Amino acid sequence: MKNSLFIPVACAGISHREADIPALEDFRFPDEKEFMDEAGELFKGIVLLQTCNRIEIFVHGDGATLDRFLKDKGRSGYRMLEGEDVLDHLLRLASGMESMIIGEDQILGQLKTALILSQETGHCDRVLDMCINRAIHTGIEVRNRTKINSGAVSIGSAAVTLAEDLLGTLEDRHILVVGVGEMGKLVAQAIAAKNLKAIYVTNRTYETAVDLADKIGGKAVKMDDLYRYISLSDVVISCTGAPHAVIHASELREALESRRWPLDEKERPLILIDIAQPRDVEEEIANIDRVKVFTIDDLRSVSEKNMGIRKKQAEAAEKMISLDLISFVSMLNRTSADDILVDLYTWAESIRIRERDKALSRLKDADEKTRGVIEDLSKVLVKKMFSDATIAIRGCAESGDLEGAEKYVHAITRGNNPCIRKDDSED
């Protein structure tokens, strides 16, 4: 893409499109604040977005510096974008076009959370604040006007759909939800509409499990009873925010010994769907007989089916994003004139103060009211005199002519002729 963006912005990222779960886990930054503080020494602003299937780093700065920083942190295999490509990617991301489940709404909340983290850690500047908020606004507009999220499912509800496809029906089944964070709530909402025999909810903090269970008509259980309720369940959907596995092979094998009920003709299979990042389920569990483990990677089929249904809406969304990108670039370029205008107003302020002081020196007996009138008058004159110039300078930057904006300022502050080309002045 041709880059006509004056403000340097860059993005490095990895997602379900380029990487599998182990690669995503290796790339993840477990201590987000520490990462932000270290990156903050190099960039004017930084936003870190980490979800179950993507990690994105947006910076107000250049891509080469970001690339060196990430390599020093031992990261590799990421894509790097700069300039307009960053804005295009951000708009597509917020619109749900880059999500595994096309059109899902969860990404909007995740972008807001990432922005809040940047603000709270002191690493969000005006440029990135504008970028994230503009992208969120576009994402909302795309959904409202194209209905790309009509009937859309989140990763959580896609996990429930996968379980239903695997079992044929969830009617009269027992399901255990492990973790009641944002993803767990989405899972719970999806299964609440099914005709289940029992819904169990567990979480590290028992009280939050009780709150969610009450809302969906389920039963809250303590984490100490995790394996007991796994043995009672047909499906376990795990989505905690723990930095390590919470379902272990040795304990699960022991729990499965009592899984076969007296009237069962054969041993019942157990379906474990792990949509946490990092993973909740130890890899060794996939080797246990009667246990089928599925991960985010297995939800791709749901995404492909979802994309087929929404193809026309996606085409309309693409057109909206392309048009909005033009105004997005103009908006940021307009702010790029700020540094140029600082020179203009610094120059004007120095003249104002000098002439004000001259006038006041001639009015030796002026009282405070008179001095205040002169102060206000001088400020108003400067503001009025340069209002048209400010509009013209911002207009140049907005239309992509930063050189023209600089010439305006030089013409005013240094007496340069803006009509003389650089080549002509060198003859």
Side-chain angles (χ1 to χ4, degrees):
M1 180 181 292
K2 181 181 178 181
N3 183 29
S4 58
L5 183 66
F6 299 135
I7 295 177
V9 291
C11 170
I14 184 172
S15 74
H16 62 92
R17 292 177 181 270
E18 305 100 354
D20 55 15
I21 290 176
L24 283 166
E25 290 179 355
D26 290 341
F27 195 90
R28 190 171 299 276
F29 298 96
D31 191 330
E32 295 185 338
K33 185 180 184 304
E34 179 183 5
F35 172 82
M36 300 284 283
D37 289 342
E38 292 179 1
E41 297 178 3
L42 300 173
F43 304 104
K44 294 180 180 179
I46 179 166
V47 170
L48 173 63
L49 172 69
Q50 297 197 117
T51 73
C52 60
N53 57 13
R54 71 172 57 251
I55 300 102
E56 306 273 358
I57 304 106
F58 298 95
V59 300
H60 179 186
D62 65 276
T65 302
L66 179 57
D67 186 46
R68 287 194 299 271
F69 174 71
L70 290 176
K71 286 178 178 175
D72 288 343
K73 300 292 289 182
R75 300 309 194 270
S76 61
Y78 49 85
R79 58 183 144 65
M80 179 68 67
L81 302 173
E82 291 189 89
E84 286 186 36
D85 289 333
V86 175
L87 305 187
D88 181 65
H89 175 64
L90 192 50
L91 292 177
R92 292 178 56 81
L93 190 64
S95 299
M97 299 296 290
E98 299 294 322
S99 299
M100 181 179 291
I101 308 300
I102 299 299
E104 56 92 8
D105 297 332
Q106 194 177 3
I107 186 63
L108 294 173
Q110 291 165 339
L111 281 168
K112 291 177 183 177
T113 299
L115 180 60
I116 290 171
L117 171 66
S118 179
Q119 293 168 340
E120 290 178 345
T121 56
H123 299 298
C124 182
D125 69 345
R126 184 187 178 196
V127 168
L128 288 186
D129 185 86
M130 291 174 64
C131 286
I132 301 299
N133 278 305
R134 175 58 180 265
I136 291 172
H137 173 77
T138 297
I140 293 171
E141 284 296 302
V142 165
R143 287 169 175 82
N144 288 340
R145 293 171 58 184
T146 67
K147 304 300 181 184
I148 194 172
N149 63 334
S150 178
V153 291
S154 65
I155 294 295
S157 57
V160 177
T161 300
L162 175 62
E164 194 167 31
D165 290 343
L166 292 169
L167 294 174
T169 178
L170 294 181
E171 186 173 350
D172 291 331
R173 301 286 186 172
H174 296 68
I175 287 188
L176 168 64
V177 180
V178 184
V180 297
E182 184 178 4
M183 191 70 74
K185 291 176 182 176
L186 292 171
V187 171
Q189 290 170 4
I191 62 177
K194 308 296 181 180
N195 189 22
L196 296 167
K197 189 168 187 178
I199 302 173
Y200 308 122
V201 180
T202 188
N203 191 60
R204 182 172 57 86
T205 304
Y206 178 67
E207 289 73 19
T208 57
V210 171
D211 289 341
L212 182 58
D214 288 344
K215 291 177 182 177
I216 62 172
K219 174 182 173 60
V221 299
K222 295 183 178 180
M223 281 295 286
D224 291 344
D225 291 328
L226 173 65
Y227 293 97
R228 176 190 170 199
Y229 281 91
I230 287 179
S231 69
L232 295 175
S233 301
D234 299 289
V235 178
V236 177
I237 301 178
S238 193
C239 45
T240 76
H244 49 70
V246 297
I247 301 177
H248 303 280
S250 58
E251 288 90 339
L252 183 60
R253 282 194 177 93
E254 184 177 343
L256 292 179
E257 292 298 322
S258 60
R259 179 173 172 77
R260 184 171 178 175
W261 296 352
L263 297 180
D264 287 343
E265 295 182 1
K266 58 182 179 179
E267 295 174 331
R268 295 179 299 117
L270 172 65
I271 295 174
L272 282 176
I273 302 179
D274 184 359
I275 54 176
Q277 194 63 261
R279 292 179 60 172
D280 279 343
V281 178
E282 278 188 341
E283 292 187 24
E284 185 184 344
I285 289 176
N287 298 322
I288 298 177
D289 291 339
R290 297 171 287 144
V291 178
K292 301 295 182 182
V293 179
F294 299 89
T295 66
I296 290 175
D297 289 340
D298 298 300
L299 300 180
R300 295 182 191 276
S301 59
V302 178
S303 174
E304 290 169 2
K305 184 187 300 184
N306 185 60
M307 185 60 201
I309 296 172
R310 294 176 180 80
K311 186 175 181 180
K312 289 184 178 180
Q313 289 88 338
E315 291 173 356
E318 293 279 8
K319 291 179 181 178
M320 283 187 63
I321 291 169
S322 296
L323 290 173
D324 200 52
L325 178 61
I326 298 172
S327 60
F328 198 174
V329 172
S330 295
M331 180 190 75
L332 284 185
N333 278 343
R334 187 176 179 84
T335 66
S336 69
D338 288 349
D339 290 339
I340 300 173
L341 287 170
V342 167
D343 292 339
L344 175 62
Y345 280 93
T346 299
W347 173 82
E349 181 67 4
S350 65
I351 295 176
R352 184 191 74 80
I353 293 174
R354 184 184 67 204
E355 298 304 319
R356 177 205 64 188
D357 291 345
K358 283 182 181 180
L360 290 175
S361 67
R362 295 171 63 185
L363 299 171
K364 296 180 181 179
D365 298 327
D367 57 19
E368 287 301 317
K369 182 178 180 180
T370 302
R371 289 176 177 274
V373 169
I374 292 175
E375 175 75 12
D376 293 342
L377 176 63
S378 62
K379 287 182 177 180
V380 170
L381 284 174
V382 169
K383 184 177 180 180
K384 294 289 186 182
M385 289 176 64
F386 290 105
S387 62
D388 289 341
T390 299
I391 293 172
I393 290 166
R394 287 195 181 280
C396 283
E398 186 175 354
S399 63
D401 184 11
L402 194 62
E403 184 179 358
E406 292 172 341
K407 284 182 177 180
Y408 266 113
V409 174
H410 291 168
I412 297 170
T413 61
R414 305 176 191 176
N416 294 347
N417 188 341
C419 297
I420 298 177
R421 298 194 310 251
K422 183 179 179 181
D423 293 341
D424 294 338
S425 64
E426 294 174 349
D427 291 341

